Each structure stands twice: as C-alpha cells, then as structure tokens.
Amino acid sequence: AVVSTQSTGWKKKKKKKNVIEVSTTKRRQEHNYRQAIIKYQTSVKHLIPKAPFARLVRKLVDKEIANGYYQHLTPHSFRVTPTFLECLHEASEVYLTSYFE
C-alpha cells in the first residue's frame, strides 16, 4: 500500500515474496488439534470404552469356538476374566495408537 511519496518520511511498503499466509481459522483449528492430542497423551483413561470392548471380545471368542478349531467345546466353555480383558484392552489400545501415528 502506498501512503505518500512526499518527503514526510513515509515510504512504500514492500510485499514479501513467497510468503504463504495462514488464515486465523486454520491456525485455530491446528491449535485445537494440538490441544486434543496433548489431552489424550496425558490422560490415563482408556480411549475405547470398557463395556463395548468386553462385548466384542466375548463375541469373537464365542464365534471362534463355534466356527474354528475348537468345535468340540461349547460356546460358553471359556471364561473371560477381568484381568484378561484389562490386558487385552491395554495391548489393543497400544497397538492401535502406534498404528495410527
């Protein structure tokens, strides 16, 4: 923008070349993404809810028993313990977070 060309001390402002301007909304979105990442990295809660995960595991175990190698067993022969679920839950979340990084 040219303000004045007289000798009052005002000079023409030069535009910077090859500078990409990032809109404030884009900056705000990136900030929100970073905040969400930091929030989830510092939390100790599970990202996958416990009850749906337990239902999924029990369903997969029953399906594998019914259709797989263990056909001589009944679908409810295996007891899924809370310790087993907790270990599997933790391992699956670690795997999924490393997969998506």
Side-chain angles (χ1 to χ4, degrees):
V2 177
V3 178
S4 174
T5 56
Q6 297 177 355
S7 61
T8 60
W10 294 87
K11 296 182 180 180
K12 292 181 182 180
K13 288 187 177 181
K14 294 182 181 180
K15 289 187 176 182
K16 294 180 181 179
K17 295 180 180 179
N18 298 329
V19 175
I20 299 172
E21 292 185 19
V22 179
S23 68
T24 56
T25 56
K26 182 148 177 112
R27 260 191 241 134
R28 197 173 303 125
Q29 284 177 345
E30 289 176 358
H31 177 73
N32 290 341
Y33 293 146
R34 283 192 210 108
Q35 290 297 322
I37 290 170
I38 290 169
K39 174 187 161 193
Y40 287 123
Q41 284 177 342
T42 56
S43 72
V44 292
K45 295 190 299 184
H46 288 296
L47 299 174
I48 303 169
K50 236 180 194 179
F53 183 79
R55 280 194 302 268
L56 176 68
V57 169
R58 285 189 178 99
K59 184 177 179 181
L60 289 175
V61 167
D62 288 345
K63 183 179 175 183
E64 185 62 31
I65 290 172
N67 298 333
Y69 179 74
Y70 306 102
Q71 288 183 350
H72 61 282
L73 299 173
T74 61
H76 300 288
S77 295
F78 285 106
R79 192 172 136 235
V80 180
T81 62
T83 307
F84 170 74
L85 278 175
E86 184 67 29
C87 292
L88 192 60
H89 198 169
E90 191 71 33
S92 62
E93 284 194 357
V94 168
Y95 173 76
L96 287 172
T97 51
S98 66
Y99 179 78
F100 287 121
E101 282 181 346

